[in-house]
Amino acid sequence: MSHKLRIRRDIAAMSAYTPTTSLDVFAERLGLAAEKLIKLDANENPFGPSPQVIDALANLPNMHVYPDPESGRLRELLADYTGVPAKRILCGAGADELIELILQLFIEPGDVVINTPPTFAMYGFDTPLYHGSVIDVYRGLDFSLDVAAIEAAVQEHRAKLVFLCSPNNPSGDVIDPNDIRRLLALPATVVVDEAYIEFAEAESIISWVAARDNLIVLRTMSKWAGLAGLRVGYGVFPDALMPQLWKIKQPYNINVAADLAAQVSLQDSAYLLERVRQLVVQRKRLETAFAELPYLSPYPSQANFLLNRVIGMSAADLRDRLARAGIIVRYYEKPRLFDHIRISAGKKEQVDRLLEALWSIAWG
Ligand SMILES: *Cc1c(COP(=O)(O)O)cnc(C)c1O
């Protein structure tokens, strides 16, 4: 590297994270038309946003004016939706931005963050960028959380943050509220990422934040409201953290299009939640169908996706064969997941095509 490029050595040495890509890029890579592809790799909402959002954005006013730095109207609507007062809610450009803000707020060089893989990649990816050290406390073979090992790791490393995901991405399980209660007794702040809670039968723990000074709950409009491309998430924080977060948040992080789209979605939440119910029906349908296939073993899920162990066949090959049929699913080149694939629930007709493709693979 040139001596003039005095960038951080740890970043220069880092390997690149490969996020999911757009339909057009997949289409070009596979030599198929984008409209023909079925994208079931990123837990996106196949129905897209509410039609009211599309109308509202077609007539979007005030693009030349900076957005409300407090996202005041949006936070009021989120307060109605969650039952949490607006003063405890902060919006981010996706839940992803809030993960970064939390790290910025807590982590001094060398401070430890507990991660519980296999789980959402961003906790482990972002921590070193903010000069923290990640301690991985792996989930059990059935992907259940190892609470005793987390307790021991927090004590041993004086960890400041514990990131938990419930329902967990990619395994789909919900963390037992008693386990979260146990972890809240630790001298660390527990961040519970509820990105998929709208798809779960289990109850949210969002109301617990009022009575705890070490619990943060993250949510997103990306999955249930179909706004992944517009980037809106939110967090519910203990009162004492709010003034500190307001100091460090980028003032215009929620752009005018995202702000309006999120507001209109919340006003149309009954309609969007009906679509969520339809996706849950399709997830249950996939669960039954996969269990009948000779080479897939699904894990029970409360999200809009299913993790499956692939038996007697390479999971990467299975991904490639589905891709050639125009169906994109997620394969992870990661410990514990080498023989697994994750498939998002789609619309009924997409699931029909997926099952057809899977059975034709089964019959060779
Ligand atoms: C998709 C996802 C997010 C990202 O949310 P954005 O609001 O789109 O940044 C956060 N957490 C988990 C577990 C996710 O799967």
Side-chain angles (χ1 to χ4, degrees):
M1 199 200 320
S2 154
H3 66 279
K4 286 183 189 148
L5 266 180
R6 296 172 69 194
I7 64 167
R8 280 168 50 176
R9 282 165 297 178
D10 57 338
I11 292 179
M14 200 171 111
S15 51
Y17 171 72
T18 44
T20 181
T21 183
S22 71
L23 268 176
D24 292 338
V25 174
F26 272 121
E28 198 174 312
R29 222 183 264 167
L30 294 165
L32 298 169
E35 320 79 70
K36 291 255 171 74
L37 292 184
I38 298 182
K39 193 170 183 298
L40 303 176
D41 67 322
N43 306 337
E44 291 143 333
N45 192 321
F47 293 111
S50 150
Q52 292 186 24
V53 167
I54 295 171
D55 288 348
L57 292 196
N59 299 299
L60 179 66
N62 296 332
M63 263 187 271
H64 61 298
V65 178
Y66 284 107
D68 172 9
E70 296 182 4
S71 308
R73 182 83 194 99
L74 173 55
R75 286 169 49 244
E76 286 301 336
L77 289 167
L78 286 168
D80 293 341
Y81 178 71
T82 58
V84 170
K87 67 177 165 90
R88 216 168 278 143
I89 299 174
L90 193 79
C91 297
D96 285 355
E97 188 195 19
L98 295 168
I99 294 168
E100 291 191 305
L101 266 183
I102 292 165
L103 291 165
Q104 284 178 42
L105 186 60
F106 279 88
I107 300 303
E108 293 179 45
D111 283 344
V112 165
V113 171
I114 304 292
N115 190 33
T116 62
T119 191
F120 187 52
M122 296 315 290
Y123 322 131
F125 176 82
D126 285 335
T127 296
L129 292 179
Y130 292 95
H131 306 283
S133 299
V134 178
I135 295 287
D136 284 327
V137 178
Y138 271 83
R139 286 167 165 256
L141 289 178
D142 61 352
F143 297 117
S144 62
L145 209 61
D146 189 342
V147 180
I150 296 171
E151 287 174 331
V154 167
Q155 301 289 0
E156 181 187 344
H157 301 281
R158 303 167 53 103
K160 277 193 171 167
L161 292 170
V162 179
F163 278 99
L164 303 175
C165 187
S166 179
N168 186 45
N169 179 5
S171 54
D173 62 296
V174 167
I175 298 173
D176 183 340
N178 290 319
D179 288 346
I180 295 176
R181 212 170 277 125
R182 233 173 101 180
L183 295 171
L184 284 169
L186 290 165
T189 292
V190 177
V191 183
V192 179
D193 182 343
E194 291 192 336
Y196 298 98
I197 196 69
E198 279 82 1
F199 298 92
E201 272 153 41
E203 270 191 40
S204 167
I205 59 158
I206 206 163
S207 66
W208 294 15
V209 179
R212 307 274 181 174
D213 61 7
N214 67 335
L215 172 63
I216 296 170
V217 175
L218 298 182
R219 295 274 192 91
T220 177
M221 302 295 285
S222 292
K223 314 290 167 42
W224 75 274
L227 295 184
L230 281 173
R231 319 300 303 125
V232 188
Y234 58 100
V236 176
F237 296 87
D239 286 333
L241 294 185
M242 289 301 291
Q244 311 305 328
L245 288 159
W246 283 118
K247 285 185 207 165
I248 63 172
K249 181 186 86 68
Q250 293 287 331
Y252 307 122
N253 59 336
I254 310 296
N255 69 63
V256 289
D259 195 340
L260 183 61
Q263 289 183 40
V264 173
S265 300
L266 290 161
Q267 283 159 339
D268 199 22
S269 63
Y271 176 85
L272 288 165
L273 291 170
E274 173 50 35
R275 288 173 159 188
V276 164
R277 274 189 291 278
Q278 290 174 38
L279 289 170
V280 170
V281 167
Q282 294 306 316
R283 182 204 75 218
K284 288 181 177 166
R285 186 176 159 220
L286 286 177
E287 204 162 345
T288 310
F290 290 176
E292 285 166 5
L293 279 164
Y295 59 87
L296 285 185
S297 172
Y299 292 84
S301 167
Q302 293 208 32
N304 64 341
F305 54 82
L306 276 177
L307 184 69
N308 304 271
R309 196 152 67 83
V310 182
I311 300 155
M313 180 189 307
S314 139
D317 279 355
L318 178 57
R319 175 209 44 200
D320 294 342
R321 290 171 77 167
L322 287 170
R324 286 196 289 275
I327 301 168
I328 324 273
V329 302
R330 183 70 190 264
Y331 170 69
Y332 298 89
E333 211 150 8
K334 281 189 188 169
R336 295 284 172 86
L337 296 173
F338 290 115
D339 54 346
H340 290 74
I341 55 169
R342 191 195 66 192
I343 303 183
S344 311
K347 295 181 189 176
K348 181 180 176 303
E349 56 275 21
Q350 296 179 318
V351 168
D352 291 344
R353 254 186 67 194
L354 167 69
L355 292 177
E356 250 170 63
L358 287 169
W359 277 110
S360 82
I361 289 169
W363 292 325

